Amino acid sequence: MEVLSGLKLELLSPEPVLKDLVTSKETTPNISFYHVKYQGKEYYIRENEATIGTTVGVTTEKAVLFTNPRLSDFRNAYLEPGTILSCGKTVTQNDLKFVEVEFYDTSAWTKRTRYILQDDISNNAADIEAIQLVQKVLSLSDKNLQKELLASARQLNVCSEIFAIIYETEQSLFPTEFTENDIELFSDITPSGKVFTEDGAKVNIRAFPGTGDVVGQVDTNTPIRITGQTTKSQTIEGLTANWYKIAPNGTGEFPEGWVFGGYVIFNE
């Protein structure tokens, strides 16, 4: 049996026990387990995949990891938003509150203890439940059940950051589909602006909003004239915006088409 991160189990003994880990391929001796009970049945869970007597939390922002509770001890690593972890003691240093956390490092397959800023954590039960639902959704292949669980997650009283994770997950699994009825063309005034990406990457131009064929690309910081927009938004890579139709610039640098509004800046 597999269980989701953040699930609370009844601990039958505070001391771990050594058992053989038996799989279909091999037997590994002397693995440390906790003896637990879940839904009335007894199980064993590996010690490095569980923690005792701490509060469950979830990251709401990209959380920088610190070896010790001070800014100078930051590591070149972070936890993604929506990471469920165990929260321990809180330490205040220079008016900043750090929380000692334990989390499962999937890159090393082991449990880690670090510090992150308290502002990057939510201990709200609804936020944690919503992320557990998202985890469950990502483990399923049944589209109808995925939609049902995401709808349940949206109905919870979560913070805006967790709601954004739910919405982005929904968009990645069920992208917004646009039709001709979702398009508004500008007849008189055509706004101007530019495309912009923080990393300097080019922006795709599509024949139709969303999943239309790529007909060209436009360089970041290139001026554009906007001749239309979609009436509903889409979320792509954490950015939520409408799509905008751009006119060709007359020099052949890029064709007419649609660009995602998350990479568009309007002129004032």
Side-chain angles (χ1 to χ4, degrees), residues 53-253:
T54 55
T55 302
V56 179
V58 59
T59 54
T60 56
E61 306 283 350
K62 183 179 285 188
V64 176
L65 294 171
F66 299 85
T67 307
N68 296 294
R70 50 178 178 262
L71 291 178
S72 60
D73 285 347
F74 71 90
R75 302 179 62 86
N76 188 25
Y78 56 84
L79 296 177
E80 291 287 354
T83 301
I84 292 180
L85 34 73
S86 296
C87 302
K89 63 184 178 182
T90 300
V91 181
T92 301
Q93 291 285 351
N94 298 325
D95 296 327
L96 292 174
K97 291 186 176 181
F98 295 83
V99 178
E100 185 181 48
V101 298
E102 284 188 323
F103 61 94
Y104 191 70
D105 185 348
T106 55
S107 64
W109 303 104
T110 190
K111 186 168 57 178
R112 300 284 191 194
T113 300
R114 296 288 186 265
Y115 289 86
I116 64 177
L117 291 171
Q118 188 181 55
D119 289 344
D120 294 338
I121 303 174
S122 169
N123 300 116
N124 181 279
D127 291 337
I128 296 164
E129 182 182 354
I131 293 301
Q132 288 175 322
L133 287 171
V134 169
Q135 289 181 347
K136 185 65 176 178
V137 164
L138 295 176
S139 70
L140 297 173
S141 57
D142 187 319
K143 296 297 184 183
N144 290 329
L145 186 53
Q146 286 178 321
K147 290 180 179 179
E148 182 180 330
L149 293 179
L150 286 169
S152 297
R154 284 200 313 271
Q155 293 172 4
L156 296 171
N157 185 24
V158 300
C159 67
S160 59
E161 293 87 354
I162 297 300
F163 189 87
I165 293 173
I166 299 169
Y167 184 74
E168 187 172 352
T169 302
E170 191 169 35
Q171 286 293 304
S172 67
L173 294 173
F174 310 102
T176 301
E177 296 292 339
F178 296 97
T179 68
E180 294 290 346
N181 293 331
D182 301 317
I183 291 175
E184 174 190 3
L185 298 178
F186 304 144
S187 56
D188 298 321
I189 300 175
T190 53
S192 60
K194 66 177 182 179
V195 296
F196 176 76
T197 56
E198 291 186 357
D199 59 0
K202 293 185 177 183
V203 174
N204 286 334
I205 303 173
R206 296 186 178 273
F208 197 77
T211 57
D213 293 337
V214 176
V215 295
Q217 290 185 317
V218 55
D219 290 324
T220 187
N221 284 317
T222 300
I224 55 174
R225 184 165 58 89
I226 299 164
T227 60
Q229 69 176 15
T230 58
T231 56
K232 60 184 181 183
S233 62
Q234 186 174 15
T235 297
I236 299 177
E237 295 182 351
L239 301 173
T240 301
N242 293 12
W243 284 75
Y244 295 101
K245 189 174 186 181
I246 61 173
N249 63 353
T251 64
E253 290 182 72

